[in-house]
Amino acid sequence: DVTVEIETMDKGGNCIGQMYTKRGQERVNLGVALVEAGLARVNEYSVNYTPCGDALKREEAVAKRKRLNIWKDYVEPSAEELAAAKAAAALGSLNTMTVCVSEIVNGSTFFAQDQSEASVSKLKAIEKELAAIPADAPGAGEVQISKNTTCLALFDDGSGNKWFRAKILRVVPQGGEEKHALIRYIDYGNEEVVP
């Protein structure tokens, strides 16, 4: 004899509830019985939303202490490990970085540069190398125009034309044989059509 009691449904339409069976005349919560036997573990998030949450936590602690089944090799975490885990959970395990927004396309799309010392140094080295190429260098800027090609493109950043790394987003026909390209400057995110 098995009884299932549906408590709620999640966003995915999955049923959440309890399953009970009989042991003699006693009604037994199968989830609690599995945790008690060391055959299941408690989900730290979900346990707070079920009426038998306290029983599940209590039985898991007992199974850990007795080292039953899945807990046979369990080692109690140190106070430092518990504090670190609690701090990580409080932060949601977020990784943060400092960035500089280099281009805002619209309300939901923007480009940013990593401002870590290593990234800034790498970009400066690339720009220094590109600055050594004259804007009118023979053959400079000549590239087969095709989508997703990485190339160099001239851009006037306010101090004159300089070479920057770019990627061709699409070919823009200009009448006759002439083609232009819509490019995105890789390191900054801005776009423009170039011949």
Side-chain angles (χ1 to χ4, degrees), residues 23-42:
R23 186 184 302 146
Q25 292 301 313
E26 181 186 4
R27 186 173 184 225
V28 177
N29 181 312
L30 194 56
V32 173
L34 289 170
V35 169
E36 179 183 17
L39 296 171
R41 67 182 72 237
V42 173

Side-chain angles (χ1 to χ4, degrees), residues 7-26:
E7 296 167 357
T8 187
M9 293 181 80
D10 66 13
K11 292 178 186 176
N14 300 303
C15 296
I16 300 172
Q18 305 299 317
M19 182 182 295
Y20 295 92
T21 187
K22 292 252 183 170
R23 186 184 302 146
Q25 292 301 313
E26 181 186 4

